Amino acid sequence: MISVESLSKKYGGLNVLDLQELTIPKGEIFGLIGNNGAGKTTFFSLLLDLIESTSGTVLINEINVQKSEVWKPFTSAFIDESYLIGYLTVEEYYHFIGALRGMTKEEVDAFVVPFEPFFNSEVLNQKKYLRDFSKGNQKKAGIIGALIGHPELVILDEPFANLDPTTQIRLKNILKEEAKKHGTTFLISSHDLTHVTEVCERIVLLEKGVILKDIKTTASTLKELENYFSN
Amino acid sequence: MPITVKQSFSLSKKKFFRAPQWELKLAARIFIGFLILYFLVAFLALGVALFFIIRKIFPDQEPVSVVNQWILYFFAIDFLSRYFIQNPPVTDVKSFLLQPITKIQIVRRVMFRSLTSFFNFIPLIVLLPFCVVVSKENGLTLNLWIWFLGILTLSGVSNFLIFLINKNRNVALGIFVFIVGGYLSETYLKSPIIPYVSSAFDKLYSQPLWVGLLLILFSLIWYLTQQFLKSQLYLDKGLSKKKERIIGSKLYFLDRWGVIGVLLKNDIRLIIRNIRARQVVLMGFLFLFYGLIFFTQDIYKENPTTLIFAGVFVTGGFMTTFGQYVPAWDSEYYSLLMGQNLPYIDYLKSKLYLLMFSVVVCSILSLPYLYFGKNTMLIILASGVFNFGFGSLLNLFSGAYNATPMRLNVKAKAFENTQGFNITQMLFALPKLVLPVIIFYIFNLLIDFNAGIIALSMVGVLAFFMKNYLLRQVEKIYQAKKYETLAAFNKNKI
């Protein structure tokens, strides 16, 4: 699904990201962890062609994201609130995203119905604009927005942050189910080691822009990571 | 510990110099400084001239008395303008709430800051020179200066009354009805209401002790405002966000035009649901009346080239005010758009169609200018065709160079409108305005009026037929500037 070759990003001579090689197969739930400044968001921004790499390339389905835009129809992301349109209602926002993915209004409406337990009656039919939502509900709205139209690749930056415990657990189930049913590839970053080890099949640990660990998740992974971070 | 003026000033200074792109803002401030200077000089000149104008038109009346007849209208209009524009400066109050500062100190800071509003300076800078001239010509009297003090006090009352009525629509409506009704009844029915109220100002002049009443009134309003604002210093009261009604939810008919329709739908919602956008559109609408300044004056009849200038403004008001901020309108969610299944060309097309549509609407709305004759109408229509075909593209082109983000739902204050302000935009304003004038001028000079009109229209028509090619060129610039624009839009996230 994704292959990265000698990808680097420098700001004023300082290496923020330096990935020699990274391949993420289709259908994998891929977790990215690391302390602040490890380069997680930089990596996501490079994948989405939102910043220009200093060197190296990102290929999504063999498409160089900097050269062509045809990766966009099957890729989606929710990084932060700037992925929401503040002056729209949730429904209008979903219709907008859906329309860009070739779905009708009715198809979009039908698509979001199964997510009602996740929304906990706090997102749909609220008669208010997204900018007036609480941070948590904005996040819920944005995450489901990124799933509209079952894109092959979904990138979520810290999806668990700001969510209440019930919603965090529901989100884990949604991610697993989407991956199982539709073969969706997920790229997730998180500071919550428990959640990441539970959801992700593979975890990459970044520090100062370099891959320190690349592990298949097992029963002992959580312990291993906790040990790493406590030093 | 009370917050001192020095501390307060130091905070404002830091806010300014540490803001992203403060150099640009500084340039904008300097420009606006000149603008303020211009107005200052204009008002001062008005104040000086006022005495002589009155003496010429009403030679047998006392100048102050003549001013008194009109001052009520001034205060009414002043009050209405404040109602629409002035906001209590409470935005950065929240961060002070948890500091060891008493609430009353916070409230006083807000109230003192509100006194520095532009509106409070108008009576000062107009009436001060007026009073100086009156003193010089008619002799220095205490009555005059107490009257002056009284007027300033009333201006202060007006300043705080705005806080107290708290955007109450009925009060504003009442005042509007009062001005219009008062004026009409005075002119047509010779009703004594307005003169009666105005005579109160004469009283103030002849019996200066009345100023005491005004000072008491001011103290009362000051006290009430202080109490009111203090009661509002809670997150769920004055500092809360108002719940908004959803408007413009039924625009789904636009969906039949595919992606372009979907984007247009968003733009319409953007315009009607965001304070900043509404302000800009209103300004564009006001440009429709810009022609009245030019077309009503005979001196411009001989000089049609100047009228082209007016025509470009009349038909392209919205196009310019909205178009100059084109990618910036979407700055809050530009990353989303860039990651979506949305080719740049479609994005630009939807904006282009919106601008073109606005030119058509403005041209239709300017049909009443036919009253000023066939040539005036031809000038407007030719400018419209130029704007439709070429001006719209020019606006998109200049937008590529404007990477100053826009905060949509924040009001721009008078003279603080530095948001999205940009020197490059100023430079781009030149071709938008000067180019059509030059085209017309050359053909009008070499051949005749009609040739000028045809030439100007032809540029628009040609650009229209080449629009796909031209738009591709514009798209290339947007593509090339994508990362730069994104970085700028995301850097200023607050």
Side-chain angles (χ1 to χ4, degrees), chain A residues 48-52 65-66 69 71-73 75-77 80-89 91-93 95-97 99-102 105 126-129 131-132, chain B residues 241-249 252 259 262-263 266-267 269-270 273-274 330 332-344 408-409 479 482-483 486 490 493:
Chain A
L48 293 165
D49 192 35
L50 296 175
I51 54 177
E52 220 171 356
V65 295
Q66 285 192 41
E69 293 187 64
W71 53 275
K72 287 179 176 179
T75 308
S76 82
D80 55 34
E81 308 90 75
S82 67
Y83 282 70
L84 297 172
I85 302 179
Y87 56 82
L88 296 183
T89 65
E91 288 82 2
E92 289 164 355
Y93 173 69
H95 295 153
F96 174 68
I97 303 272
L100 294 183
R101 298 185 175 278
K105 182 172 172 276
Q126 290 300 299
K127 296 204 170 31
K128 61 177 174 184
Y129 300 134
R131 63 177 172 225
D132 296 327
Chain B
K241 268 190 168 177
K242 292 212 174 56
K243 196 173 185 294
E244 291 165 278
R245 218 161 41 89
I246 305 290
I247 44 175
S249 50
Y252 286 96
V259 174
V262 169
L263 291 168
N266 256 16
D267 281 334
R269 285 174 176 156
L270 184 148
R273 292 176 177 181
N274 293 291
D330 296 310
E332 288 183 354
Y333 46 86
Y334 210 55
S335 315
L336 170 85
L337 293 186
M338 291 303 106
Q340 285 302 320
N341 184 19
L342 169 64
Y344 240 130
L408 282 173
N409 209 23
Q479 282 285 15
K482 174 181 162 180
Y483 304 108
L486 268 168
N490 286 330
K493 283 274 149 50

Side-chain angles (χ1 to χ4, degrees), chain B residues 277-402:
Chain B
R278 282 198 295 255
Q279 263 183 335
V280 164
V281 171
L282 185 72
M283 246 173 49
F285 179 72
L286 289 179
F287 274 120
L288 273 178
F289 301 97
Y290 193 70
L292 288 176
I293 301 174
F294 289 89
F295 299 138
T296 50
Q297 305 210 7
D298 287 336
I299 40 163
Y300 294 119
K301 282 259 160 65
E302 331 289 306
N303 185 4
T305 308
T306 326
L307 295 180
I308 294 290
F309 196 68
V312 172
F313 263 113
V314 168
T315 54
F318 172 88
M319 182 187 80
T320 319
T321 52
F322 184 85
Q324 64 177 334
Y325 299 127
V326 150
W329 287 119
D330 296 310
S331 63
E332 288 183 354
Y333 46 86
Y334 210 55
S335 315
L336 170 85
L337 293 186
M338 291 303 106
Q340 285 302 320
N341 184 19
L342 169 64
Y344 240 130
I345 194 86
D346 283 349
Y347 172 77
L348 291 174
K349 253 187 203 157
S350 83
K351 301 287 185 208
L352 184 69
Y353 290 160
L354 184 69
L355 297 184
M356 288 163 104
F357 177 70
S358 83
V359 174
V360 173
V361 172
C362 289
S363 301
I364 292 172
L365 288 177
S366 59
L367 282 178
Y369 279 118
L370 193 57
Y371 174 82
F372 296 103
K374 191 188 74 176
N375 279 2
T376 304
M377 203 62 231
L378 281 177
I379 283 171
I380 291 181
L381 290 181
S383 311
V385 172
F386 173 85
N387 274 337
F388 180 79
F390 193 67
S392 52
L393 276 162
L394 206 54
N395 263 295
L396 287 187
F397 170 67
S398 73
Y401 295 90
N402 184 5

Side-chain angles (χ1 to χ4, degrees), chain A residues 41-190:
Chain A
T41 308
T42 306
F43 178 50
F44 285 166
S45 300
L46 284 168
L47 286 181
L48 293 165
D49 192 35
L50 296 175
I51 54 177
E52 220 171 356
S53 66
T54 310
S55 70
T57 49
V58 175
L59 304 179
I60 299 182
N61 276 355
E62 307 300 318
I63 302 153
N64 184 337
V65 295
Q66 285 192 41
K67 298 257 163 67
S68 155
E69 293 187 64
V70 289
W71 53 275
K72 287 179 176 179
F74 53 83
T75 308
S76 82
F78 184 68
I79 308 288
D80 55 34
E81 308 90 75
S82 67
Y83 282 70
L84 297 172
I85 302 179
Y87 56 82
L88 296 183
T89 65
V90 178
E91 288 82 2
E92 289 164 355
Y93 173 69
Y94 287 166
H95 295 153
F96 174 68
I97 303 272
L100 294 183
R101 298 185 175 278
M103 292 166 79
T104 66
K105 182 172 172 276
E106 291 71 25
E107 282 167 349
V108 175
D109 287 336
F111 177 89
V112 293
V113 168
F115 296 106
E116 188 43 47
F118 176 70
F119 290 143
N120 198 20
S121 315
E122 285 170 336
V123 174
L124 298 177
N125 304 315
Q126 290 300 299
K127 296 204 170 31
K128 61 177 174 184
Y129 300 134
L130 277 165
R131 63 177 172 225
D132 296 327
F133 273 57
S134 70
K135 281 260 181 286
N137 285 331
Q138 282 185 347
K139 189 145 240 174
K140 288 189 210 171
I143 291 170
I144 301 305
L147 300 179
I148 286 176
H150 298 299
E152 288 176 46
L153 171 64
V154 178
I155 298 175
L156 301 173
D157 198 8
E158 305 235 20
F160 297 106
N162 280 331
L163 294 183
D164 60 63
T166 311
T167 316
Q168 291 182 8
I169 292 164
R170 285 183 181 151
L171 176 58
K172 281 190 272 186
N173 295 333
I174 287 175
L175 297 178
K176 284 181 192 158
E177 211 155 293
E178 284 290 310
K180 204 163 98 191
K181 263 199 208 150
H182 304 284
T184 315
T185 312
F186 279 104
L187 260 65
I188 295 166
S189 78
S190 181

Side-chain angles (χ1 to χ4, degrees), chain B residues 106-117:
Chain B
I106 298 176
V107 166
R108 282 190 190 141
R109 177 172 183 261
V110 167
M111 288 173 72
F112 273 118
R113 271 183 56 186
S114 80
L115 278 178
T116 60
S117 135

